[in-house]
Amino acid sequence: MTSEPGALPADPVDLVKTVLDISSLRERVEEHLAGFLSVRLARAPHPDLDRVLLEPVVDLLLRDGKRLRPAFCYWGWRGAGGADCEEVLVAATSLELLHGCALIHDDIMDASVLRRGGRAVHSELAARHAARGWRGQGDHFGIAGAVVAGDLCLVWADEMLRASGLPPASLTRAGPVFDAMRAETIRGQYLDLITQAERALRVEDAIAVAQAKTAANTTVGPLRFGATLAGAGEDLLAAYSDYALPLGVAFQLRDDLLGSFGDPGTTGKPSGDDLRDGKCTLLLAEARRRAGAADARRIDALLVEGTDNAVVELRAVIEGSGARTFVEDEVARLGAAALAALERAPLVDDSALAVLRGLALAVTAFDPLANANGSRRESGDNERDSQQWHSV
């Protein structure tokens, strides 16, 4: 069934089938990931020491991820005519290791103690240092160890990809896409860092961070990587970018909403940290853009203050300015643009169309029962839906 460009599926059964497809794929990814990591644990040369580092990393990687990146990679492959096979699933699963590096390092940069409902790797390493009564500062040990852990995930990603069993020609062809995805993700991390330091809060900077930090490794990169492994032509690769770039930005905007207004018990990570740290998110940038001179000075002062009370007041300022509603509407607009681009994509496998449409619905938390003009439920319901699908 093909919907009008930008419209939502009229039949909710389509979304249910899509979710089942994603769930089945997730189980297969989990098996490959768990198998790879169990071998690395078993091969540790000095188990007593190596496991201090390895166990927190393995725990994070296996902890309740939704595996969206492998899903985009796999269905990018299928949409380009690639057949279902375990080899491509192994290659797709390697993206979870790349993502693990980004998560570990991101938590260091943000000083976040929670990730996916458990301790962040640097926080867990610091706790292990304290429990053993080791010499030196536990926090420094945790940060230093987590830097090493993130680097290890990068090495593992390369190792898993090379051992996927895909033909060498496919791996060579897709190598530049894999490299570009990693480089752009690192650039996005740096943009996130420097825009926070500048305190400029420019809307264009917030979008640039979302494109580089999130779209590159969540939607655009994985989708194009899978397609290139399958030998996709330039027309399909371009169409994938048109679909995946707005979707990746929408994914980050949803994450920003959860980071500022979500329930930590549901999202598995702290709420308010982005506001406390003064991150250049579209929420904050748009609130400041809309503010008069006095309100803009007040926002700046609250960001410098960085307290829990300041976070509460910043939430009120964002709500009162209309920035939260603006960002929620922007998520819907970007999701609609992604769906419209997908309808134009020259997919080889029709099943990929339904699944990629479903992924767009899941990532943006659209209501599958919404009417054809894209109207949504109340924001509280949308927030609960997006928390259910939260994958980082």
Side-chain angles (χ1 to χ4, degrees):
M1 179 181 65
T2 301
S3 60
E4 296 179 3
L8 302 177
D11 186 355
V13 173
D14 282 353
L15 184 57
V16 172
K17 289 179 179 177
T18 294
V19 171
L20 290 175
D21 283 341
I22 295 171
S23 177
S24 175
L25 181 68
R26 180 187 174 191
E27 291 174 2
R28 296 168 70 187
V29 168
E30 295 279 357
E31 289 178 3
H32 286 297
L33 185 60
F36 179 90
L37 294 173
S38 66
V39 170
R40 270 71 211 161
L41 281 174
R43 290 179 180 175
H46 304 287
D48 290 344
L49 292 179
D50 291 342
R51 283 177 175 265
V52 172
L53 177 70
L54 297 182
E55 286 175 350
V57 177
V58 170
D59 178 59
L60 171 68
L61 291 169
L62 296 180
R63 192 191 302 157
D64 195 31
K66 297 300 180 285
R67 314 310 181 195
L68 283 175
R69 291 152 190 86
F72 278 113
C73 178
Y74 174 82
W75 286 107
W77 160 278
R78 289 289 301 275
D84 177 55
C85 63
E86 295 307 312
E87 290 82 0
V88 74
L89 273 172
V90 174
T93 302
S94 73
L95 299 183
E96 282 297 303
L97 299 169
L98 174 60
H99 182 48
C101 169
L103 293 182
I104 293 167
H105 286 170
D106 195 51
D107 287 339
I108 297 170
M109 293 167 59
D110 295 345
S112 295
V113 298
L114 292 177
R115 175 65 68 172
R116 290 178 172 172
R119 280 181 175 147
V121 168
H122 69 91
S123 180
E124 174 62 23
L125 288 172
R128 291 185 176 216
H129 180 282
R132 286 161 176 77
W134 286 345
R135 183 177 62 184
Q137 297 180 348
D139 288 346
H140 177 74
F141 176 86
I143 291 171
V147 170
V148 174
D151 292 345
L152 180 61
C153 286
L154 280 179
V155 174
W156 280 350
D158 283 339
E159 184 181 355
M160 191 173 199
L161 178 59
R162 288 197 307 268
S164 65
L166 287 173
S170 295
L171 297 177
T172 299
R173 181 174 57 240
V177 179
F178 189 68
D179 292 340
M181 176 171 47
R182 291 185 294 179
E184 187 67 2
T185 301
I186 292 169
R187 174 177 170 271
Q189 293 279 46
Y190 171 69
L191 289 178
D192 193 21
L193 184 67
I194 197 170
T195 54
Q196 183 179 337
E198 284 184 325
R199 297 181 180 174
L201 291 181
R202 293 181 289 261
V203 168
E204 59 269 26
D205 289 344
I207 297 300
V209 171
Q211 290 176 338
K213 181 180 176 182
T214 303
N217 81 62
T218 304
T219 55
V220 180
L223 196 63
R224 287 175 59 91
F225 179 56
T228 307
L229 285 170
E234 288 301 321
D235 288 348
L236 180 57
L237 291 173
Y240 273 167
S241 293
D242 291 342
Y243 157 79
L245 184 58
L247 189 60
V249 175
F251 181 87
Q252 181 59 55
L253 298 187
R254 290 301 304 175
D255 192 61
D256 293 343
L257 286 163
L258 290 172
S260 295
F261 297 99
D263 175 11
T266 304
T267 65
K269 63 181 190 177
S271 179
D273 277 1
D274 287 355
L275 302 178
R276 191 175 291 104
D277 296 339
K279 281 208 167 190
C280 184
T281 64
L282 186 59
L283 274 172
L284 270 176
E286 183 64 18
R288 197 177 189 283
R289 187 187 70 80
R290 292 166 177 246
D295 287 340
R297 286 193 297 271
R298 183 56 183 158
I299 290 173
D300 292 342
L302 290 169
L303 293 175
V304 170
E305 182 180 326
T307 64
D308 290 344
N309 288 337
V311 168
V312 172
E313 189 170 346
L314 280 168
R315 285 183 178 130
V317 170
I318 291 170
E319 293 266 20
S321 71
R324 177 177 179 175
T325 299
F326 171 83
V327 172
E328 289 174 344
D329 290 343
E330 189 68 1
V331 171
R333 185 191 70 79
L334 290 166
L339 288 170
L342 182 62
E343 299 300 329
R344 300 189 296 268
L347 298 172
V348 176
D349 186 335
D350 289 340
S351 64
L353 176 64
V355 175
L356 291 173
R357 185 189 290 128
L359 284 170
L361 297 174
V363 164
T364 58
F366 282 160
D367 181 357
L369 297 177
N371 59 35
N373 66 12
S375 64
R376 295 167 293 142
R377 291 173 292 176
E378 294 300 317
S379 61
D381 289 328
N382 282 332
E383 182 173 305
R384 283 190 292 273
D385 284 350
S386 79
Q387 289 172 353
Q388 181 180 1
W389 279 94
H390 193 56
S391 68
V392 294

